[in-house]
Every structure is written in structure tokens, then in C-alpha cells.
Amino acid sequence: MFRSEYADVQPVELPIHDAVLARAAEFGDTPALIDGTDGTTLTYAQLDAFHRRVAAGLADAGVRKGDVLALHSPNTIAFPTAFYAATRAGASVTTVHPLSTPEEFAKQLSDSDARWIVTVSPLLETARRAAELAGGVREIFVCDSAPGHRSLLDMLASTAPEPDIAIDPVTDVAALPYSSGTTGTPKGVMLTHRQIATNLAQLEPLMSAGPEDRILAVLPFFHIYGLTALMNAPLRQGASVVVLPRFDLETFLAAIQNHRITGLYVAPPIVLALAKHPLIERYDLSSLRYIVSAAAPLDAELAAACSARLGLPPVGQAYGMTELSPGTHVVPLSAMREAPPGTVGKLIAGTEMRIVSLDDPDKDLDIGEPGEILIRGPQIMKGYLGRPDDTAAMIDPDGWLHTGDVGHVDAHGWLFVVDRVKELIKYKGFQVAPAELEALLLTHPGIADAAVIGVYNEDGNEVPHAYVVRQQAASGPSDLSDLSDLSEGEVMMYVAERVAPYKRVRQVTFIAAVPRAASGKILRRQLRERA
């Protein structure tokens, strides 16, 4: 068993809105949220006052403790106000992918038994159709304005009393995000106020921030990574969060330059762009002090190329999952130059870990031996909503959550994640990690992105199949011709020269883009369906 080397933290038994905004009066006129495109700013004093007025408006509309409110929005400066207002009114918030189809949205509404929706006017038709399909939705509110719908802006003028709800942080669910569905049916992950707030306290000593910091929020707030690293954590510490609704490279780079961003929390595709894209040279990124990547494996060579190009400390990594509120490991900001390449960090305070054999789950492995990662700590989810069997399959009777990730620990406690258990390819009995092949493919100058899955050949053997995006020979926007002479044979030979025979890529398909979740995680299931 591996235990954190950091001092334990006391569980934070506060509602999440109080755990995050407890120091709002202290930070006062410090910018809390800045629209990265038009500069609209909310101070900490405004955020605190606004979310309380909206909570009063929601309560006056009928929102009650125990209700579920679906928050369906891209990143905006209104998103945190809506989230904290809903929890202050006693609701649990289920966050919805803004690009969900009406049918996907309706399934989440039905599964979570949501009674209320908060959306934005450009997404209103999707929300309306989803509500019709699901049934049971009492009202749809909008963050901005739309005919026939009450707006959160109007609620700012509410004279209704602020709700005084008795919230039990230990048992009451604050957030109900849905797992990514990359390895199965999406499930509602019940995260209590205490679980989320305690995880913030566990992370804070290692990822500190303050009023002098500016964090760029481009990864989505609806995903647990964005909700924690880009919303709850920086707002708890008084940093300014610059908000972008989606990732567009030029807008992203302009926001770093114009708002003097100090810290980035990103996913590997953005690290790839920072390492390789020619547009980087056109922007002043000198305000950046650090970059942290999470949500998917990041190759050590790619991380090094990114940091070298930008003149920064090595890109740090963090590890976790929705079911873990989400963090368990992080490379401390103070240790980025010391951490070994490729590590996802050390156990955060109050967290335990086991590495168990893939063949015998009862067998614990030692330092350097790869196996499945098991986690125990105060940040483990309450369970999957309405799915006791799935919960029991995930969390054993001793409280260990089985992550489904494969990793190993070195002698100094640094964790290295190899791959997903369910994504491992078994070629003639040998295990092949897709992430390893993907990292290798990205070192080819003609490859912009890649994903690898296992497919069965005519002999019934599972073999590695690479989906490859050709690199563009772009010296500028006017020259975007593909390196179309990169062939399937060249890709296979490039890999074959660099790996053991059983790891060779046996099939290659060129595609326009690798399908990814909003978090940056490769949607391998879509590639399997395509294959």
C-alpha cells in the first residue's frame, strides 16, 4: 500500500458554494471572472452577491432541496453564478455537454430526474426538445435572454429572501456529472459537497494560486476537470479566471497574450498544438509560468518539446477521474523541474493507493511493477446514481476504487500511468498499450495526431490499428497543404523500427481528426465502431 507523504487535511464539511466563496469579501474588487473575448468582468464581490440573488430567484421559482438542475452551457462568466446559485438553493447540479443532441440530453434528464434546466439562448432549441423527450422538466431558464423564458439576469433584481437551506455536506449531492462513456453507458456520478470541497483542500497546497494569478479556462466547466481546476480551485484562492467558450487556437493564444495568463490547465491536444503549431511564434506568451496537463496520457517527449519551445519548466501532469472528485495525484508546481519525465505526480494528502496484478487482483505489486491502480480516500464518489451494481463493481467492500488504469510507482513515489485496462491490446497474448504507440507516432514530423485501437484480423488475432492525422506543412494560413505523400507503409515502418515486434502497428487509416471528448480523451469506441 502506498500512502501520501503530505500531511492529512481535515474534511471540509461545508456546502460547495461556501467552501469556494468563503473569502469573496476579502478578495472584494479583485476580478473573479473575465470574458476572454469581450473583457466583461465580474469581481469577487459581484460573484458572491449575484449567486445569492439568483439562488433567491430559483427558490422563488420553486427549486427545492433535493431537486436536480441541469446546467447546459458552454463556458461563460455566468456558469459559476448558475452553479453556486443552484447549490445554495439546495439543488444538485448535473452538468451537460453543450454539444449534446436532444436525444443524449433527454437521456441525462431522465436518468438524473432533473426538474429544471439552465441553458443559453443559442442552445435553447436543443434544451426544449430534450425536455419534451424526457418529460418532467418544470421550467427552462436562460443565462442571457430569450422570449418566454425567465433569465438569470432578471433574477439579479429579485427581492425574494435568500434561501436558508440545511445542507448536509456529508450526504447531500452537489454535482452529478456523467462519466465520459468511453468504456460504457454514461452514468451519473454522485459527488457530495464534502467530497468536492475536501478534494480542493487536498490539492490546494500543491497547486496554489492567489490574486496575482490569471488562469485561462478553455477546457469545459461541465467536465469535472474544468469544474475543479478552472472554476472551483482558482475561485477558492482568489485568482482571476479568464473564460473562453471553446478552444480555438488563435483565440486561445490571443487570450494568453492580452490577459497576461500565468497558468494553464489543459489536455494533451493543446500541449501538442503548443509544441508544434507555427502560430505559436506570432504571440507573446511570456506571462506563462507553468502548464499542467491532465485528462489523458501525455508523452514525456511531447511535454519536453512544449516546455522547451515556450521556455517554461517541464509541463506538469495531474491524475484523477470523475469518480474521484477528481484528483488523486499531481506534480506540485514547486517540483516541476525535479519530477521525472512522464509522471502524473504523487499522491495528494489523505489518499492511499494500491497497484494490483492484472491477472490476480488480490496480489499487490511492488515498486516498478505495472498493475491496476486502486485508490482510497475522502474524495471517492458517493456512488453511481441508481446503479448499485455498477457502484459495487467500481468500489470494493474495503473502500478501494478500481480505476481501470494501469500504472507503476518509482522508489520516490512518482506514479506513471501506462494505459487503461480495457484499452490494452492483446496481440498473441502480449499486452500492447495504445498510449505508447500514440506517443511514438506523434514524434513523426508528418503526423499531427494519432489514435490506436485493437482490431481483429482475418486470423482472429487482435492487432494494433492506427488512425493517423497527417501534419500540415503550414508556414502560415495561406499554406495549408497536407503532407499527402505520407503512406500507410511509411507509418508502419516508422513504428516497426522503434518497437518490439509484437507492438508493431498492423493497419493504418488516415483520418481528418481524432475523435475526442471535451476533456481531450480519445473516444476509442467511435473508432471501434468505424473499424
Side-chain angles (χ1 to χ4, degrees):
M1 186 186 300
F2 301 91
R3 291 184 174 86
S4 175
E5 65 186 55
Y6 302 106
D8 284 352
V9 298
Q10 291 299 312
V12 180
E13 299 196 359
L14 290 171
I16 188 60
H17 43 272
D18 288 336
V20 172
L21 298 177
R23 299 173 65 190
E26 174 189 337
F27 299 131
D29 291 334
T30 301
L33 297 155
I34 302 169
D35 187 306
T37 55
D38 67 15
T40 303
T41 299
L42 288 182
T43 67
Y44 273 90
Q46 289 174 320
L47 174 59
D48 190 40
F50 289 178
H51 96 275
R52 291 174 185 272
R53 283 296 84 214
V54 174
L58 292 175
D60 193 47
V63 176
R64 296 291 179 263
K65 180 179 178 180
D67 285 355
V68 175
L69 180 146
L71 183 46
H72 173 236
S73 171
N75 285 9
T76 70
I77 61 172
F79 191 110
T81 297
F83 183 90
Y84 302 131
T87 60
R88 186 171 285 280
S92 303
V93 179
T94 186
T95 50
V96 184
H97 196 311
L99 298 183
S100 292
T101 65
E103 293 74 19
E104 290 169 330
F105 191 177
K107 286 180 181 178
Q108 186 167 336
L109 291 172
S110 298
D111 190 74
S112 65
D113 197 25
R115 290 288 175 263
W116 313 90
I117 296 174
V118 172
T119 189
V120 291
S121 56
L123 302 179
L124 188 52
E125 285 307 312
T126 298
R128 284 173 176 162
R129 178 59 181 150
E132 291 171 2
L133 292 170
V137 173
R138 289 183 55 183
E139 187 169 354
I140 301 173
F141 308 105
V142 292
C143 291
D144 43 4
S145 61
H149 291 270
R150 282 193 273 191
S151 168
L152 269 58
L153 291 173
D154 297 333
M155 292 181 186
L156 297 179
S158 171
T159 57
E162 182 181 314
D164 184 14
I165 307 297
I167 291 173
D168 181 353
V170 178
T171 60
D172 289 345
V173 173
L176 190 65
Y178 272 67
S179 58
S180 62
T182 54
T183 56
T185 304
K187 299 172 281 291
V189 179
M190 295 186 290
L191 301 177
T192 68
H193 292 264
R194 181 173 74 168
Q195 286 159 354
I196 301 173
T198 301
N199 196 231
L200 294 174
Q202 292 173 300
L203 291 165
E204 188 169 322
L206 311 179
M207 308 184 83
S208 59
E212 71 283 358
D213 290 290
R214 290 203 164 194
I215 307 299
L216 184 57
V218 66
L219 295 183
F221 289 147
F222 80 81
H223 187 273
I224 192 65
Y225 178 19
L227 193 73
T228 295
L230 301 177
M231 191 177 94
N232 287 336
L235 292 177
R236 174 181 165 90
Q237 300 180 71
S240 298
V241 179
V242 178
V243 181
L244 291 178
R246 67 190 63 83
F247 178 74
D248 169 81
L249 184 58
E250 289 197 68
T251 305
F252 173 77
L253 296 172
I256 296 173
Q257 173 181 279
N258 298 337
H259 293 281
R260 306 306 292 162
I261 299 299
T262 59
L264 292 178
Y265 291 88
V266 297
I270 297 179
V271 179
L272 177 64
L274 290 170
K276 289 194 171 187
H277 204 284
L279 273 176
I280 307 304
E281 309 300 337
R282 303 184 186 182
Y283 291 86
D284 176 8
L285 309 184
S286 61
S287 60
L288 285 175
R289 297 204 305 265
Y290 62 86
I291 301 174
V292 175
S293 177
L298 176 66
D299 174 60
E301 289 189 13
L302 177 59
C306 176
S307 60
R309 186 180 193 188
L310 299 181
L312 291 173
V315 175
Q317 292 196 62
Y319 172 75
M321 58 195 304
T322 305
E323 292 84 348
L324 291 164
S325 299
T328 68
H329 290 73
V330 64
V331 175
L333 298 184
S334 61
M336 285 184 160
R337 296 189 186 278
E338 306 156 22
T343 182
V344 297
K346 291 187 176 184
L347 278 167
I348 63 175
T351 307
E352 300 172 309
M353 177 177 64
R354 294 167 59 199
I355 306 290
V356 300
S357 169
L358 298 178
D359 300 318
D360 181 5
D362 294 325
K363 180 184 178 184
D364 284 270
L365 301 178
D366 207 342
I367 289 169
E369 296 183 287
E372 185 180 4
I373 301 165
L374 276 54
I375 297 291
R376 189 165 65 183
Q379 67 269 54
I380 288 179
M381 67 173 178
K382 184 176 181 178
Y384 291 121
L385 178 67
R387 299 174 184 266
D389 291 343
D390 287 327
T391 301
M394 190 73 163
I395 305 171
D396 68 29
D398 293 322
W400 291 100
L401 184 142
H402 295 241
T403 67
D405 286 323
V406 180
H408 62 86
V409 180
D410 73 9
H412 300 287
W414 297 104
L415 176 66
F416 298 80
V417 176
V418 179
D419 220 308
R420 290 281 301 164
V421 171
K422 293 180 180 179
E423 291 172 356
L424 288 173
I425 301 165
K426 280 203 169 183
Y427 175 71
K428 296 185 177 180
F430 292 101
Q431 293 182 340
V432 181
E436 181 183 358
L437 294 178
E438 289 156 2
L440 174 59
L441 287 164
L442 288 177
T443 65
H444 191 293
I447 295 176
D449 204 358
V452 177
I453 62 169
V455 299
Y456 288 91
N457 63 14
E458 60 274 16
D459 298 324
N461 292 313
E462 190 179 26
V463 298
H465 183 144
Y467 286 83
V468 172
V469 180
R470 291 185 176 100
Q471 182 66 270
Q472 293 173 326
S475 57
S478 61
D479 179 15
L480 297 175
S481 57
D482 285 342
L483 297 178
S484 55
D485 57 342
L486 182 65
S487 69
E488 177 182 352
E490 285 177 288
V491 173
M492 289 194 288
M493 181 60 69
Y494 184 80
V495 175
E497 291 174 347
R498 291 164 174 81
V499 299
Y502 69 88
K503 293 183 180 179
R504 291 177 180 173
V505 168
R506 312 284 165 162
Q507 298 175 19
V508 176
T509 300
F510 292 103
I511 56 175
V514 171
R516 295 181 182 271
S519 64
K521 192 175 295 182
I522 295 170
L523 296 171
R524 299 183 199 278
R525 186 173 59 185
Q526 289 188 15
L527 294 175
R528 291 191 187 100
E529 290 170 354
R530 174 172 179 160

